[in-house]
Amino acid sequence: MNQKIRIIASKNSWIEQDAIDQLEGISSLEGIVKVVGLPDLHPGKTPVGAAFISENIIYPHIIGNDIGCGMSLFMTDIKKHKVNISRWIKKLETFENMQEIDIEGFIKEDIPFLEKIGTIGGGNHFAEFQQIEKVFDEAIFETLGINKKNMMILVHSGSRGYGQEILDEVIKKYHAQKGLRVGSNDIDDYLKQHEKAVKWAENNRKWIAYRLLKALGSNTDVQRILDSTHNSITKKHLDEKVYYIHRKGAAPGDLGPVIIPGSRGSLSYIVMPKECEISAYSIAHGAGRKWKRGGCKEKLENKYTKKTIKQTKFGANVVCKNKNLLFEEAPEAYKNIERVIEDLLDANLITVVATLKPVVTYKG
DNA sequence: ATGTCC
């Protein structure tokens, strides 16, 4: 493996050779100076669970269509002991479409893909009601402003069709697979669009939480506790030079606390990253897929009934109308989040602040 | 990942 590449994972973490080959491919692109595979690394169109540092050039295709995808953790004002879970599940199951939930007082001018605002999307995107399970670092936890008695909502979503449109355009216009060079109009144009998609996605995560709460007939005032983007390109100034960090399924390691979820059958971890060069200033964004989407249903359909596939560890439930997706996103299809967290701890990249357990997972 | 592809 070439000198630019570093994979942060213990021998116990199973990493597919395909993903390593993909890292090699990207390491040979012009201007790429460092490639990091995080413990949740797995193959995709481009490798997922990875960070890439470049100089004088950026590659939009590395981060792909879902520009700005990330995680937001919100605190509701709902006390967890007051929640009637089965009533919530019924309510979430009964509306046909999230979009039938109105967004009141929403300023609708000048927003691209307005019809997609407040929608989750497919794939691994979700919104999950959670509660604090355990606090490991009281001092850092204090600074987050979380009341442990309150129900939390974790939202994982991105820029929907907007990021896709931006990627399609930049590839058509500038043949962007060859990269966009610093000093050209191309790069400025793309980064401006990219920034808008990052903001759109961040904003959208709040509207998803709003819609869910409104669907449940609860107070829609939420407090954003955490937000991190795991698909983006950001400038980094180091030694008086400008570098670009491409994160594809990698959370920032230099912007404060981050939430790392596992599958719907596992805990989520609030961690405090330690800013460091060895990981390209990045940390894992989740558990990472273990199985390809195709074949999940065949592997699991004999193990579960229509009812039990929706039940998960910790007594939680998933609400998901898409049957294939229910299997594709099953806990078995994901790597072990505890292993990922262990690997980040072993590499001295994080401090664990707290864990959250799932209560209800809602899929778009 | 995508009102995607089969």
mmCIF file of all heavy atoms in Angstrom, chain A residues 122 124 160, chain B residues 1-3:
data_model
loop_
_atom_site.group_PDB
_atom_site.id
_atom_site.type_symbol
_atom_site.label_atom_id
_atom_site.label_comp_id
_atom_site.label_asym_id
_atom_site.label_seq_id
_atom_site.Cartn_x
_atom_site.Cartn_y
_atom_site.Cartn_z
ATOM 1 N N GLY A 122 -33.953 8.127 1.157
ATOM 2 C CA GLY A 122 -33.875 6.671 1.322
ATOM 3 C C GLY A 122 -32.532 6.214 1.840
ATOM 4 O O GLY A 122 -31.848 6.946 2.576
ATOM 5 N N ASN A 124 -29.525 4.923 3.778
ATOM 6 C CA ASN A 124 -29.235 4.843 5.216
ATOM 7 C C ASN A 124 -29.785 6.040 5.999
ATOM 8 O O ASN A 124 -29.525 6.168 7.196
ATOM 9 C CB ASN A 124 -27.731 4.675 5.448
ATOM 10 C CG ASN A 124 -26.909 5.793 4.836
ATOM 11 O OD1 ASN A 124 -27.450 6.723 4.235
ATOM 12 N ND2 ASN A 124 -25.606 5.699 4.980
ATOM 13 N N ARG A 160 -30.613 15.778 -0.578
ATOM 14 C CA ARG A 160 -31.662 15.248 -1.470
ATOM 15 C C ARG A 160 -31.308 15.480 -2.945
ATOM 16 O O ARG A 160 -30.178 15.237 -3.319
ATOM 17 C CB ARG A 160 -33.018 15.854 -1.058
ATOM 18 C CG ARG A 160 -33.300 15.768 0.446
ATOM 19 C CD ARG A 160 -33.559 14.357 0.958
ATOM 20 N NE ARG A 160 -34.889 13.913 0.629
ATOM 21 C CZ ARG A 160 -35.166 12.995 -0.319
ATOM 22 N NH1 ARG A 160 -34.178 12.459 -1.009
ATOM 23 N NH2 ARG A 160 -36.385 12.610 -0.555
ATOM 24 P P DA B 1 -26.471 5.934 2.152
ATOM 25 O OP1 DA B 1 -27.489 5.409 2.925
ATOM 26 O OP2 DA B 1 -25.158 5.578 2.000
ATOM 27 O "O5'" DA B 1 -26.998 6.634 0.834
ATOM 28 C "C5'" DA B 1 -28.124 7.434 0.835
ATOM 29 C "C4'" DA B 1 -27.960 8.519 -0.186
ATOM 30 O "O4'" DA B 1 -26.916 8.143 -1.060
ATOM 31 C "C3'" DA B 1 -29.202 8.716 -1.070
ATOM 32 O "O3'" DA B 1 -29.954 9.776 -0.499
ATOM 33 C "C2'" DA B 1 -28.606 9.213 -2.368
ATOM 34 C "C1'" DA B 1 -27.231 8.587 -2.366
ATOM 35 N N9 DA B 1 -27.171 7.435 -3.249
ATOM 36 C C8 DA B 1 -27.197 6.116 -2.946
ATOM 37 N N7 DA B 1 -27.116 5.337 -3.997
ATOM 38 C C5 DA B 1 -27.036 6.224 -5.062
ATOM 39 C C6 DA B 1 -26.928 6.054 -6.448
ATOM 40 N N6 DA B 1 -26.861 4.849 -7.013
ATOM 41 N N1 DA B 1 -26.882 7.166 -7.214
ATOM 42 C C2 DA B 1 -26.951 8.367 -6.627
ATOM 43 N N3 DA B 1 -27.046 8.648 -5.345
ATOM 44 C C4 DA B 1 -27.086 7.526 -4.609
ATOM 45 P P DT B 2 -31.465 10.005 -0.821
ATOM 46 O OP1 DT B 2 -31.823 11.341 -0.351
ATOM 47 O OP2 DT B 2 -32.181 8.813 -0.347
ATOM 48 O "O5'" DT B 2 -31.491 10.004 -2.416
ATOM 49 C "C5'" DT B 2 -30.902 11.076 -3.145
ATOM 50 C "C4'" DT B 2 -31.381 10.985 -4.594
ATOM 51 O "O4'" DT B 2 -30.568 10.091 -5.334
ATOM 52 C "C3'" DT B 2 -32.797 10.427 -4.685
ATOM 53 O "O3'" DT B 2 -33.639 11.548 -4.714
ATOM 54 C "C2'" DT B 2 -32.803 9.633 -5.989
ATOM 55 C "C1'" DT B 2 -31.329 9.370 -6.282
ATOM 56 N N1 DT B 2 -30.912 7.944 -6.199
ATOM 57 C C2 DT B 2 -30.355 7.347 -7.300
ATOM 58 O O2 DT B 2 -30.195 7.930 -8.363
ATOM 59 N N3 DT B 2 -29.996 6.029 -7.119
ATOM 60 C C4 DT B 2 -30.150 5.283 -5.950
ATOM 61 O O4 DT B 2 -29.804 4.124 -5.899
ATOM 62 C C5 DT B 2 -30.740 5.989 -4.846
ATOM 63 C C7 DT B 2 -30.947 5.273 -3.540
ATOM 64 C C6 DT B 2 -31.086 7.266 -5.020
ATOM 65 P P DG B 3 -34.787 12.260 -4.977
ATOM 66 O OP1 DG B 3 -34.874 13.365 -5.918
ATOM 67 O OP2 DG B 3 -34.944 12.415 -3.567
ATOM 68 O "O5'" DG B 3 -35.796 11.122 -5.433
ATOM 69 C "C5'" DG B 3 -36.086 11.027 -6.796
ATOM 70 C "C4'" DG B 3 -37.064 9.901 -6.853
ATOM 71 O "O4'" DG B 3 -38.298 10.342 -6.281
ATOM 72 C "C3'" DG B 3 -37.358 9.479 -8.276
ATOM 73 O "O3'" DG B 3 -37.688 8.111 -8.238
ATOM 74 C "C2'" DG B 3 -38.595 10.298 -8.587
ATOM 75 C "C1'" DG B 3 -39.324 10.248 -7.250
ATOM 76 N N9 DG B 3 -40.236 11.345 -6.975
ATOM 77 C C8 DG B 3 -41.473 11.261 -6.374
ATOM 78 N N7 DG B 3 -42.057 12.418 -6.218
ATOM 79 C C5 DG B 3 -41.162 13.319 -6.760
ATOM 80 C C6 DG B 3 -41.227 14.723 -6.885
ATOM 81 O O6 DG B 3 -42.134 15.477 -6.532
ATOM 82 N N1 DG B 3 -40.104 15.239 -7.479
ATOM 83 C C2 DG B 3 -39.035 14.512 -7.919
ATOM 84 N N2 DG B 3 -38.029 15.177 -8.495
ATOM 85 N N3 DG B 3 -38.955 13.213 -7.799
ATOM 86 C C4 DG B 3 -40.028 12.679 -7.218
#
